[in-house]
Amino acid sequence: MIFDTAQENENLKAQLSKLNQEFETNNPKSKSANQRLQKINADLYFALNYGTAKSRIKNQLTYKLGQAMIANSKSLLGYIRMPYVLSYIKDMHKKEQIAYNEKIKANPSLKLPPLESYPDYNEAIKLKNHLSYKLGEVLINADKSKLKLGYLTLWFKCKNITKEHKDNHKNSLNNPNH
């Protein structure tokens, strides 16, 4: 998530720098604490400029579609409305991608770094095991299938994924060690 104004960015950077200087002045013997603070400082600076890996995963089409599937599966009207909502999300995502690619062509320095370079990368990978992500993945694979025949089994695959997710969630609650 990139902040709205450059002024807010500069203010936050100045505050972080000031806090870091105060910390060094007040605790000159606390080298390990200072190193931890510098790491947090670097992570915050990175997040201010590029956002977080979690936000990038949540902004992927896969996750967005899965969230919409879950939200619209709670009522009959939701099921009726779902194809339109999913189509709209897909179209908007495509427009966002085109706009991003045009920005990159105009100014290559705006290109986001690889997901692996984000400080919260390992936490973001866990999002790929969320129900939203898995349902979106199944939907995209169904759409990519030959002659769109994947849609014939989509409902059954979604039911299986939902059942597995519930079972895994129950198991994780019963076995807190895993």
Side-chain angles (χ1 to χ4, degrees), residues 81-168:
R81 190 177 50 193
M82 191 180 302
Y84 303 104
V85 171
L86 296 175
S87 176
Y88 176 77
I89 290 171
K90 183 180 175 186
D91 291 343
M92 292 307 296
H93 186 80
K94 193 180 289 186
K95 287 178 184 175
E96 288 171 6
Q97 291 300 106
I98 290 169
Y100 171 74
N101 288 331
E102 287 175 1
K103 283 183 184 177
I104 297 305
K105 282 181 185 176
N107 186 357
S109 67
L110 294 175
K111 185 174 184 181
L112 293 170
L115 208 52
E116 297 81 21
S117 65
Y118 283 74
D120 64 334
Y121 174 71
N122 290 331
E123 296 159 31
I125 290 302
K126 293 176 186 174
L127 286 176
K128 290 189 173 188
N129 289 323
H130 283 200
L131 181 60
S132 299
Y133 195 90
K134 288 181 179 181
L135 289 174
E137 208 168 32
V138 168
L139 179 64
I140 288 174
N141 288 336
D143 192 61
K144 286 181 180 177
S145 67
K146 197 172 189 174
L147 302 174
K148 309 283 187 216
L149 293 176
Y151 284 111
L152 296 176
T153 59
L154 179 64
W155 189 81
F156 298 104
K157 288 179 181 178
C158 288
K159 279 293 184 193
N160 287 338
I161 288 172
T162 305
K163 183 183 181 309
E164 285 176 22
H165 180 75
K166 284 180 182 175
D167 291 345
N168 289 340

Side-chain angles (χ1 to χ4, degrees), residues 10 14 36 39 43 126 144 175:
E10 291 305 316
R36 284 194 310 266
K39 169 81 170 102
D43 290 351
K126 293 176 186 174
K144 286 181 180 177
N175 294 330

Side-chain angles (χ1 to χ4, degrees), residues 67-80:
Q67 276 188 316
M69 289 171 72
I70 292 170
N72 285 290
S73 67
K74 302 199 184 304
S75 69
L76 180 61
L77 179 61
Y79 276 105
I80 293 169

Side-chain angles (χ1 to χ4, degrees), residues 47-62:
L48 282 171
N49 287 311
Y50 303 112
T52 62
K54 283 182 176 181
S55 65
R56 283 202 40 200
I57 295 284
K58 287 182 177 182
N59 198 35
Q60 289 180 353
L61 181 61
T62 309

